[in-house]
Coordinates of all heavy atoms in Angstrom, one line a residue:
M1 N 105.4 92.9 99.4 CA 105.3 92.0 98.2 C 106.0 92.8 97.0 O 105.7 94.0 96.8 CB 103.8 91.8 97.9 CG 103.6 90.9 96.7 SD 101.8 90.7 96.4 CE 101.6 89.0 96.7
S2 N 106.8 92.1 96.3 CA 107.5 92.7 95.2 C 106.5 92.9 94.0 O 105.5 92.3 93.9 CB 108.7 91.9 94.8 OG 108.3 90.7 94.2
A3 N 107.0 93.7 93.1 CA 106.2 93.9 91.9 C 106.0 92.7 91.0 O 104.9 92.4 90.5 CB 106.8 95.1 91.0
R4 N 107.1 91.9 91.0 CA 107.1 90.6 90.2 C 106.0 89.7 90.8 O 105.3 89.0 90.1 CB 108.4 90.0 90.2 CG 108.5 88.8 89.3 CD 109.9 88.2 89.4 NE 110.2 87.1 88.5 CZ 109.5 86.0 88.3 NH1 108.4 85.8 88.9 NH2 110.0 85.1 87.5
A5 N 106.1 89.5 92.1 CA 105.1 88.6 92.8 C 103.7 89.1 92.6 O 102.8 88.3 92.5 CB 105.5 88.6 94.3
A6 N 103.5 90.4 92.6 CA 102.1 90.9 92.4 C 101.6 90.6 91.0 O 100.5 90.2 90.8 CB 102.1 92.4 92.7
L7 N 102.5 90.7 90.1 CA 102.1 90.4 88.7 C 101.8 88.9 88.5 O 100.9 88.5 87.8 CB 103.2 90.9 87.7 CG 103.3 92.4 87.5 CD1 104.5 92.7 86.6 CD2 102.1 92.9 86.9
V8 N 102.6 88.1 89.1 CA 102.4 86.6 89.0 C 101.1 86.3 89.7 O 100.3 85.5 89.1 CB 103.6 85.9 89.7 CG1 103.3 84.4 89.8 CG2 104.9 86.1 88.8
A9 N 100.8 86.9 90.8 CA 99.5 86.6 91.5 C 98.3 87.1 90.6 O 97.3 86.4 90.6 CB 99.5 87.3 92.9
Q10 N 98.5 88.2 90.0 CA 97.4 88.7 89.2 C 97.2 87.8 87.9 O 96.1 87.6 87.5 CB 97.8 90.2 88.7 CG 96.6 91.0 88.3 CD 97.1 92.5 88.1 OE1 98.2 92.7 87.8 NE2 96.1 93.4 88.3
A11 N 98.3 87.3 87.4 CA 98.2 86.4 86.2 C 97.5 85.1 86.6 O 96.7 84.6 85.8 CB 99.6 86.2 85.6
K12 N 97.8 84.6 87.8 CA 97.2 83.4 88.2 C 95.7 83.6 88.4 O 94.8 82.8 88.1 CB 97.8 82.9 89.5 CG 99.1 82.3 89.3 CD 99.7 81.8 90.6 CE 101.1 81.2 90.4 NZ 101.7 80.7 91.7
A13 N 95.3 84.8 88.9 CA 93.9 85.1 89.1 C 93.2 85.2 87.8 O 92.0 84.7 87.7 CB 93.8 86.4 89.9
L14 N 93.8 85.8 86.8 CA 93.2 86.0 85.5 C 93.1 84.6 84.8 O 92.1 84.4 84.1 CB 94.1 86.9 84.6 CG 94.0 88.4 85.0 CD1 95.0 89.2 84.2 CD2 92.6 88.9 84.8
R15 N 94.1 83.7 85.0 CA 93.9 82.4 84.4 C 92.8 81.6 85.0 O 92.0 80.9 84.3 CB 95.2 81.6 84.6 CG 96.3 81.9 83.6 CD 97.4 80.9 83.7 NE 98.6 81.5 83.1 CZ 99.7 81.8 83.8 NH1 99.8 81.5 85.1 NH2 100.7 82.4 83.2
A16 N 92.6 81.8 86.3 CA 91.5 81.1 87.0 C 90.2 81.6 86.5 O 89.2 80.9 86.3 CB 91.6 81.3 88.5
Q17 N 90.1 82.9 86.3 CA 88.8 83.5 85.8 C 88.6 83.0 84.4 O 87.4 82.7 84.0 CB 88.9 85.1 85.8 CG 88.6 85.7 87.1 CD 88.7 87.2 87.0 OE1 89.3 87.8 86.2 NE2 87.9 87.8 88.0
A18 N 89.6 83.0 83.5 CA 89.4 82.5 82.2 C 89.0 81.1 82.1 O 88.1 80.7 81.4 CB 90.7 82.7 81.4
D19 N 89.5 80.2 83.0 CA 89.1 78.8 83.1 C 87.6 78.7 83.5 O 86.9 77.9 83.0 CB 90.0 78.0 84.0 CG 91.4 77.9 83.5 OD1 91.6 78.0 82.3 OD2 92.3 77.6 84.3
A20 N 87.3 79.5 84.5 CA 85.9 79.5 85.0 C 84.9 80.0 83.9 O 83.8 79.4 83.7 CB 85.7 80.4 86.2
L21 N 85.3 81.0 83.1 CA 84.4 81.5 82.0 C 84.3 80.4 80.9 O 83.3 80.2 80.3 CB 85.0 82.8 81.5 CG 84.7 84.0 82.4 CD1 85.4 85.2 81.8 CD2 83.3 84.2 82.6
E22 N 85.4 79.7 80.6 CA 85.4 78.7 79.5 C 84.5 77.5 80.0 O 83.7 77.0 79.2 CB 86.8 78.2 79.2 CG 87.6 79.2 78.4 CD 89.0 78.7 78.1 OE1 89.3 77.5 78.5 OE2 89.8 79.4 77.6
A23 N 84.6 77.2 81.3 CA 83.7 76.1 81.8 C 82.2 76.5 81.7 O 81.4 75.7 81.4 CB 84.1 75.8 83.2
L24 N 82.0 77.8 82.0 CA 80.6 78.3 82.0 C 80.1 78.3 80.5 O 79.0 77.9 80.2 CB 80.5 79.7 82.6 CG 79.1 80.3 82.6 CD1 78.1 79.5 83.4 CD2 79.2 81.8 83.1
A25 N 80.9 78.7 79.6 CA 80.6 78.8 78.2 C 80.3 77.4 77.6 O 79.4 77.3 76.8 CB 81.6 79.5 77.4
A26 N 81.0 76.4 78.1 CA 80.8 75.0 77.6 C 79.4 74.5 78.1 O 78.8 73.6 77.4 CB 81.9 74.1 78.1
T27 N 78.8 75.0 79.2 CA 77.6 74.5 79.7 C 76.4 75.2 79.0 O 75.3 74.7 79.0 CB 77.4 74.8 81.2 OG1 77.4 76.1 81.5 CG2 78.5 74.0 81.9
L28 N 76.6 76.4 78.4 CA 75.5 77.1 77.7 C 75.1 76.5 76.4 O 76.0 76.0 75.7 CB 76.0 78.6 77.5 CG 76.2 79.4 78.7 CD1 76.8 80.8 78.3 CD2 75.0 79.6 79.5
P29 N 73.8 76.5 76.1 CA 73.4 75.9 74.8 C 73.9 76.8 73.6 O 74.0 78.0 73.8 CB 71.9 75.9 74.9 CG 71.6 77.0 75.9 CD 72.7 77.0 76.8
T30 N 74.2 76.1 72.5 CA 74.6 76.9 71.4 C 73.4 77.4 70.7 O 72.4 76.8 70.6 CB 75.4 76.0 70.4 OG1 74.6 74.9 70.1 CG2 76.7 75.5 71.0
V31 N 73.5 78.7 70.2 CA 72.4 79.3 69.5 C 72.8 79.5 68.1 O 73.9 80.0 67.8 CB 72.1 80.7 70.2 CG1 71.0 81.4 69.4 CG2 71.8 80.5 71.6
E32 N 71.9 79.1 67.2 CA 72.2 79.3 65.8 C 72.0 80.8 65.4 O 71.2 81.5 65.9 CB 71.1 78.5 65.0 CG 71.5 78.4 63.5 CD 70.5 77.5 62.8 OE1 70.3 76.4 63.2 OE2 70.0 77.9 61.8
A33 N 72.9 81.2 64.5 CA 72.9 82.6 64.2 C 71.5 83.0 63.5 O 71.0 82.2 62.7 CB 74.0 82.9 63.2
D34 N 71.0 84.1 64.0 CA 69.7 84.6 63.4 C 70.0 85.8 62.6 O 69.7 86.9 63.0 CB 68.8 84.9 64.6 CG 67.4 85.2 64.1 OD1 67.1 84.7 62.9 OD2 66.6 85.8 64.8
D35 N 70.6 85.6 61.4 CA 71.0 86.7 60.6 C 69.9 87.1 59.7 O 68.9 86.4 59.5 CB 72.3 86.4 59.9 CG 72.2 85.1 59.1 OD1 71.2 84.3 59.4 OD2 73.0 84.8 58.2
L36 N 70.1 88.3 59.1 CA 69.1 88.7 58.0 C 69.5 88.1 56.7 O 70.7 88.0 56.3 CB 69.2 90.2 57.9 CG 68.7 91.1 59.1 CD1 69.1 92.5 58.9 CD2 67.2 90.9 59.2
I37 N 68.5 87.6 56.0 CA 68.7 87.0 54.7 C 67.8 87.8 53.7 O 66.8 88.4 54.0 CB 68.3 85.5 54.7 CG1 66.9 85.3 55.2 CG2 69.3 84.7 55.6 CD1 66.4 83.8 55.0
G38 N 68.2 87.7 52.5 CA 67.6 88.4 51.4 C 66.6 87.5 50.6 O 66.4 86.3 50.9
V39 N 66.0 88.0 49.6 CA 65.1 87.3 48.8 C 65.7 86.1 48.1 O 65.1 85.1 48.0 CB 64.4 88.3 47.8 CG1 63.5 87.5 46.8 CG2 63.6 89.4 48.5
A40 N 66.9 86.3 47.6 CA 67.6 85.2 46.9 C 67.7 84.0 47.7 O 67.5 82.8 47.3 CB 68.9 85.7 46.3
E41 N 68.2 84.2 49.0 CA 68.3 83.0 49.9 C 67.0 82.4 50.3 O 66.9 81.2 50.4 CB 69.2 83.4 51.1 CG 69.5 82.2 51.9 CD 70.5 82.5 53.0 OE1 71.1 83.6 53.0 OE2 70.7 81.6 53.9
C42 N 66.0 83.3 50.5 CA 64.7 82.8 50.8 C 64.1 81.9 49.7 O 63.5 80.9 49.9 CB 63.7 83.9 51.1 SG 63.8 84.7 52.7
A43 N 64.4 82.3 48.5 CA 63.9 81.6 47.3 C 64.6 80.3 47.2 O 64.0 79.2 46.9 CB 64.0 82.4 46.0
A44 N 65.9 80.3 47.4 CA 66.8 79.1 47.2 C 66.5 78.1 48.3 O 66.4 76.9 48.0 CB 68.2 79.5 47.1
K45 N 66.5 78.6 49.5 CA 66.5 77.6 50.7 C 65.1 77.3 51.1 O 64.8 76.1 51.5 CB 67.2 78.2 51.8 CG 67.4 77.3 53.0 CD 68.5 77.8 53.9 CE 68.7 76.7 55.0 NZ 69.8 77.1 55.9
Y46 N 64.1 78.2 51.0 CA 62.8 78.0 51.6 C 61.7 78.0 50.5 O 60.5 77.9 50.8 CB 62.5 79.0 52.6 CG 63.5 79.0 53.8 CD1 64.3 80.1 54.0 CD2 63.5 77.9 54.6 CE1 65.3 80.1 55.0 CE2 64.5 77.9 55.7 CZ 65.3 79.0 55.8 OH 66.2 79.0 56.9
N47 N 62.1 78.3 49.2 CA 61.1 78.4 48.1 C 60.0 79.4 48.4 O 58.9 79.2 48.1 CB 60.5 77.0 47.9 CG 59.9 76.9 46.5 OD1 60.3 77.7 45.6 ND2 59.0 76.0 46.3
V48 N 60.5 80.6 48.9 CA 59.6 81.7 49.2 C 60.1 82.9 48.4 O 61.3 83.3 48.5 CB 59.6 82.0 50.7 CG1 58.7 83.3 50.9 CG2 59.0 80.9 51.5
G49 N 59.3 83.5 47.5 CA 59.7 84.6 46.7 C 59.4 86.0 47.3 O 58.8 86.1 48.4
R50 N 59.8 87.0 46.5 CA 59.6 88.4 46.9 C 58.1 88.7 47.2 O 57.8 89.3 48.2 CB 60.2 89.3 45.8 CG 59.9 90.8 46.1 CD 60.4 91.6 44.9 NE 61.8 91.4 44.6 CZ 62.9 91.9 45.3 NH1 62.7 92.7 46.3 NH2 64.1 91.6 44.9
D51 N 57.3 88.2 46.3 CA 55.8 88.6 46.4 C 55.2 87.9 47.7 O 54.4 88.6 48.4 CB 55.0 88.1 45.2 CG 55.4 88.9 44.0 OD1 55.9 90.1 44.1 OD2 55.2 88.4 42.8
A52 N 55.6 86.7 48.0 CA 55.1 86.0 49.2 C 55.6 86.8 50.4 O 54.8 87.0 51.4 CB 55.6 84.6 49.2
L53 N 56.9 87.2 50.4 CA 57.4 88.0 51.6 C 56.6 89.3 51.7 O 56.3 89.7 52.8 CB 58.9 88.2 51.4 CG 59.8 87.0 51.5 CD1 61.2 87.4 51.2 CD2 59.7 86.4 52.9
R54 N 56.4 90.0 50.6 CA 55.8 91.3 50.7 C 54.3 91.1 51.2 O 53.8 91.9 52.0 CB 55.8 91.9 49.3 CG 55.3 93.3 49.3 CD 55.5 94.0 47.9 NE 56.9 94.2 47.7 CZ 57.5 94.1 46.5 NH1 56.9 93.8 45.5 NH2 58.8 94.3 46.4
R55 N 53.6 90.1 50.7 CA 52.2 89.9 51.1 C 52.1 89.5 52.6 O 51.2 90.0 53.3 CB 51.5 88.9 50.2 CG 51.2 89.4 48.8 CD 50.3 88.4 48.1 NE 50.8 87.0 48.0 CZ 51.5 86.6 47.0 NH1 51.8 87.4 46.0 NH2 52.0 85.3 47.0
A56 N 53.0 88.7 53.0 CA 53.1 88.3 54.4 C 53.3 89.5 55.3 O 52.8 89.7 56.4 CB 54.1 87.2 54.7
S57 N 54.2 90.4 54.8 CA 54.5 91.6 55.6 C 53.3 92.5 55.6 O 53.0 93.1 56.7 CB 55.7 92.3 54.9 OG 55.9 93.6 55.6
E58 N 52.6 92.7 54.5 CA 51.4 93.5 54.5 C 50.3 93.0 55.4 O 49.5 93.7 56.0 CB 50.9 93.6 53.1 CG 51.8 94.4 52.2 CD 51.4 94.4 50.7 OE1 50.5 93.6 50.3 OE2 52.1 95.0 49.9
R59 N 50.2 91.6 55.5 CA 49.2 91.0 56.4 C 49.6 91.0 57.9 O 48.9 90.7 58.7 CB 48.9 89.6 56.0 CG 48.2 89.4 54.7 CD 47.7 88.0 54.5 NE 48.9 87.0 54.5 CZ 49.5 86.6 53.4 NH1 49.1 87.0 52.2 NH2 50.5 85.7 53.5
G60 N 50.9 91.4 58.1 CA 51.4 91.5 59.5 C 51.9 90.1 60.0 O 52.1 90.0 61.2
E61 N 52.1 89.2 59.1 CA 52.5 87.8 59.5 C 54.0 87.7 59.7 O 54.5 86.8 60.3 CB 52.0 86.8 58.5 CG 50.5 86.7 58.4 CD 50.1 85.8 57.3 OE1 51.0 85.2 56.6 OE2 48.9 85.5 57.2
L62 N 54.7 88.6 59.0 CA 56.2 88.6 58.9 C 56.8 90.0 59.0 O 56.3 90.8 58.2 CB 56.6 87.8 57.6 CG 58.0 87.4 57.4 CD1 58.5 86.5 58.5 CD2 58.1 86.8 56.0
A63 N 57.8 90.1 59.8 CA 58.5 91.4 59.8 C 59.6 91.5 58.8 O 60.6 90.8 58.9 CB 59.1 91.7 61.2
V64 N 59.4 92.3 57.8 CA 60.3 92.5 56.7 C 60.9 93.9 56.8 O 60.2 94.8 57.0 CB 59.7 92.2 55.3 CG1 60.6 92.5 54.2 CG2 59.1 90.8 55.3
S65 N 62.2 94.0 56.6 CA 62.8 95.3 56.6 C 63.5 95.6 55.3 O 63.7 94.7 54.5 CB 63.8 95.4 57.8 OG 64.9 94.5 57.6
R66 N 63.8 96.8 55.1 CA 64.5 97.3 53.8 C 66.0 97.5 54.1 O 66.4 98.1 55.1 CB 63.9 98.6 53.3 CG 62.5 98.5 52.9 CD 62.4 97.8 51.6 NE 61.0 97.7 51.1 CZ 60.7 97.4 49.9 NH1 61.6 97.2 49.0 NH2 59.4 97.3 49.6
G67 N 66.8 96.9 53.3 CA 68.2 97.0 53.5 C 68.8 98.0 52.5 O 68.0 98.8 52.0
P68 N 70.1 97.9 52.2 CA 70.7 98.8 51.2 C 70.0 98.6 49.8 O 69.6 97.5 49.4 CB 72.1 98.3 51.1 CG 72.3 97.5 52.3 CD 71.0 97.0 52.8
R69 N 69.8 99.7 49.2 CA 69.2 99.7 47.8 C 67.7 99.2 47.9 O 67.2 98.6 46.9 CB 70.0 99.0 46.8 CG 71.3 99.6 46.6 CD 72.1 98.9 45.5 NE 73.4 99.5 45.3 CZ 74.3 99.0 44.6 NH1 74.1 97.9 43.9 NH2 75.5 99.6 44.4
Q70 N 67.1 99.4 49.0 CA 65.7 99.0 49.2 C 65.4 97.5 49.0 O 64.3 97.0 48.7 CB 64.7 99.8 48.3 CG 64.8 101.3 48.5 CD 64.3 101.6 49.9 OE1 63.3 101.1 50.4 NE2 65.1 102.4 50.7
R71 N 66.5 96.7 49.3 CA 66.3 95.2 49.2 C 65.5 94.7 50.4 O 65.7 95.2 51.5 CB 67.7 94.5 49.1 CG 68.3 94.8 47.8 CD 69.7 94.1 47.7 NE 70.3 94.4 46.5 CZ 71.6 94.3 46.2 NH1 72.4 93.9 47.2 NH2 72.0 94.6 45.0
L72 N 64.7 93.7 50.2 CA 63.9 93.1 51.3 C 64.8 92.2 52.1 O 65.5 91.4 51.6 CB 62.7 92.3 50.8 CG 61.6 93.1 50.1 CD1 60.6 92.1 49.6 CD2 61.0 94.1 51.1
L73 N 64.8 92.4 53.4 CA 65.6 91.5 54.3 C 64.6 91.0 55.4 O 63.7 91.7 55.9 CB 66.7 92.3 55.0 CG 67.8 92.9 54.0 CD1 68.7 93.8 54.8 CD2 68.5 91.7 53.3
V74 N 64.9 89.8 55.8 CA 64.0 89.2 56.9 C 64.9 88.3 57.7 O 65.9 87.7 57.3 CB 62.9 88.4 56.2 CG1 63.3 87.2 55.4 CG2 61.8 88.0 57.2
R75 N 64.5 88.1 59.0 CA 65.3 87.3 59.9 C 65.0 85.8 59.5 O 63.9 85.4 59.3 CB 64.9 87.5 61.3 CG 65.3 88.8 61.8 CD 66.0 88.7 63.1 NE 66.5 90.0 63.5 CZ 67.8 90.4 63.4 NH1 68.6 89.6 62.8 NH2 68.2 91.6 63.7
R76 N 66.1 85.0 59.5 CA 66.0 83.6 59.2 C 65.0 82.9 60.1 O 64.1 82.1 59.6 CB 67.3 82.9 59.3 CG 67.4 81.5 58.9 CD 68.8 80.9 59.1 NE 69.8 81.7 58.6 CZ 70.3 81.6 57.3 NH1 69.7 80.9 56.5 NH2 71.2 82.4 56.9
S77 N 65.1 83.1 61.4 CA 64.1 82.5 62.3 C 62.7 82.9 62.1 O 61.8 82.1 62.3 CB 64.6 82.8 63.8 OG 64.4 84.2 64.0
A78 N 62.5 84.1 61.7 CA 61.1 84.6 61.4 C 60.5 83.9 60.2 O 59.3 83.5 60.2 CB 61.1 86.1 61.2
V79 N 61.3 83.6 59.2 CA 60.8 82.9 58.0 C 60.5 81.5 58.4 O 59.4 81.0 58.0 CB 61.9 82.9 56.9 CG1 61.5 82.0 55.7 CG2 62.1 84.4 56.4
V80 N 61.4 80.8 59.1 CA 61.1 79.5 59.6 C 59.8 79.4 60.4 O 59.0 78.5 60.2 CB 62.3 78.9 60.3 CG1 62.0 77.5 60.9 CG2 63.5 78.8 59.4
A81 N 59.7 80.3 61.4 CA 58.5 80.3 62.2 C 57.2 80.6 61.4 O 56.2 79.9 61.6 CB 58.6 81.3 63.3
W82 N 57.3 81.5 60.4 CA 56.2 81.8 59.6 C 55.8 80.6 58.7 O 54.6 80.3 58.6 CB 56.5 83.0 58.7 CG 55.5 83.3 57.7 CD1 54.2 83.8 57.9 CD2 55.7 83.3 56.3 NE1 53.6 84.0 56.7 CE2 54.4 83.7 55.7 CE3 56.7 82.9 55.4 CZ2 54.2 83.8 54.3 CZ3 56.5 83.0 54.1 CH2 55.3 83.4 53.5
L83 N 56.8 79.9 58.1 CA 56.5 78.7 57.3 C 55.9 77.6 58.2 O 55.0 76.9 57.7 CB 57.7 78.3 56.6 CG 58.2 79.2 55.5 CD1 59.6 78.7 54.9 CD2 57.2 79.3 54.4
E84 N 56.4 77.4 59.4 CA 55.9 76.4 60.2 C 54.5 76.7 60.7 O 53.7 75.7 61.1 CB 56.8 76.2 61.4 CG 58.1 75.5 61.0 CD 59.1 75.4 62.2 OE1 58.9 76.0 63.3 OE2 60.1 74.7 62.0
S85 N 54.1 77.9 60.7 CA 52.7 78.3 61.2 C 51.7 78.0 60.1 O 50.5 78.0 60.3 CB 52.7 79.7 61.6 OG 52.8 80.6 60.5
K86 N 52.1 77.9 58.8 CA 51.2 77.7 57.7 C 50.8 76.2 57.6 O 51.5 75.3 57.8 CB 51.9 78.0 56.4 CG 52.3 79.5 56.3 CD 51.2 80.3 56.5 CE 51.1 81.6 55.7 NZ 49.9 82.3 56.0
P87 N 49.5 76.0 57.3 CA 49.0 74.6 57.2 C 49.6 74.0 55.9 O 49.8 74.7 54.9 CB 47.5 74.8 57.1 CG 47.3 76.2 56.6 CD 48.4 77.0 57.2
L88 N 49.8 72.7 56.0 CA 50.3 72.0 54.8 C 49.1 71.8 53.8 O 48.1 71.4 54.3 CB 50.9 70.7 55.1 CG 52.2 70.8 55.9 CD1 52.7 69.4 56.3 CD2 53.3 71.5 55.1
R89 N 49.3 72.0 52.6 CA 48.3 71.8 51.6 C 48.8 70.9 50.5 O 49.8 71.2 49.9 CB 47.8 73.1 51.0 CG 47.2 74.0 52.0 CD 46.7 75.3 51.4 NE 46.3 76.2 52.5 CZ 46.1 77.5 52.3 NH1 46.2 78.0 51.0 NH2 45.7 78.3 53.2
G90 N 48.0 69.9 50.2 CA 48.4 69.0 49.1 C 47.5 69.3 47.9 O 46.5 70.0 48.0
P91 N 47.8 68.7 46.8 CA 46.9 68.9 45.6 C 45.5 68.2 45.9 O 45.4 67.3 46.6 CB 47.6 68.1 44.5 CG 48.7 67.3 45.1 CD 48.9 67.9 46.5
D92 N 44.5 68.8 45.3 CA 43.2 68.3 45.4 C 42.9 67.2 44.4 O 42.2 67.3 43.5 CB 42.2 69.5 45.2 CG 42.3 70.5 46.2 OD1 42.7 70.2 47.3 OD2 42.0 71.7 45.9
R93 N 43.6 66.1 44.8 CA 43.4 64.9 43.9 C 43.0 63.7 44.7 O 43.3 63.6 45.9 CB 44.7 64.5 43.2 CG 45.2 65.5 42.2 CD 46.4 65.0 41.5 NE 47.3 66.1 41.4 CZ 48.6 66.0 41.4 NH1 49.2 64.9 41.6 NH2 49.3 67.1 41.3
E94 N 42.3 62.8 44.1 CA 41.9 61.6 44.8 C 43.1 60.7 45.0 O 43.9 60.6 44.1 CB 40.8 60.9 44.0 CG 39.7 60.3 44.8 CD 38.6 59.7 43.9 OE1 37.8 60.5 43.5 OE2 38.7 58.5 43.7
G95 N 43.2 60.1 46.1 CA 44.3 59.2 46.3 C 45.6 59.9 46.8 O 46.6 59.2 46.9
W96 N 45.5 61.1 47.1 CA 46.7 61.9 47.6 C 47.1 61.3 49.0 O 46.3 61.3 49.9 CB 46.4 63.3 47.7 CG 47.5 64.1 48.4 CD1 47.5 64.6 49.6 CD2 48.7 64.5 47.8 NE1 48.6 65.2 49.9 CE2 49.4 65.2 48.8 CE3 49.3 64.4 46.6 CZ2 50.7 65.8 48.6 CZ3 50.6 64.9 46.4 CH2 51.2 65.6 47.4
A97 N 48.3 60.8 49.1 CA 48.7 60.3 50.4 C 49.9 61.1 50.9 O 50.8 61.4 50.1 CB 49.1 58.8 50.3
A98 N 50.0 61.4 52.2 CA 51.1 62.1 52.8 C 52.3 61.3 52.9 O 52.3 60.1 53.0 CB 50.6 62.7 54.1

């Protein structure tokens, strides 16, 4: 077998592997990025401030880490799970309807 024929055969094998991997990747579920977010994004998106994050961390309900310059960082999925675990509370008024 010549060197050229060997390279062509190897290229065909690599293309077949790439096609198989792309087909496999298409069947896998997409996972949303679970990145670390700061206090500003928690406040803007989830209406949760620094004190609430700190208290939840002290109670062991939420894993909070310290980033650069001692900024509080928390995983987005952890905040969502923590908020979903909390009971909904409405104002103590007569006639309150959900």
Side-chain angles (χ1 to χ4, degrees):
M1 182 184 245
S2 70
R4 183 182 190 308
L7 287 176
V8 169
Q10 205 172 26
K12 285 181 182 178
L14 288 173
R15 277 193 205 112
Q17 280 184 335
D19 291 341
L21 288 174
E22 284 179 9
L24 179 63
T27 63
L28 295 175
T30 56
V31 177
E32 190 175 309
D34 188 22
D35 53 344
L36 291 171
I37 57 175
V39 173
E41 188 171 348
C42 281
K45 190 166 185 175
Y46 303 111
N47 199 22
V48 175
R50 175 182 307 277
D51 292 336
L53 292 175
R54 189 174 288 143
R55 285 192 305 267
S57 175
E58 290 170 357
R59 289 189 304 264
E61 297 174 357
L62 189 61
V64 176
S65 60
R66 294 284 180 167
R69 297 184 181 174
Q70 298 298 311
R71 292 183 179 157
L72 292 178
L73 298 173
V74 65
R75 294 229 175 262
R76 182 183 312 275
S77 63
V79 172
V80 172
W82 175 64
L83 289 174
E84 288 175 350
S85 73
K86 296 305 215 180
L88 293 176
R89 296 182 189 169
D92 295 330
R93 291 188 223 144
E94 219 174 276
W96 171 258

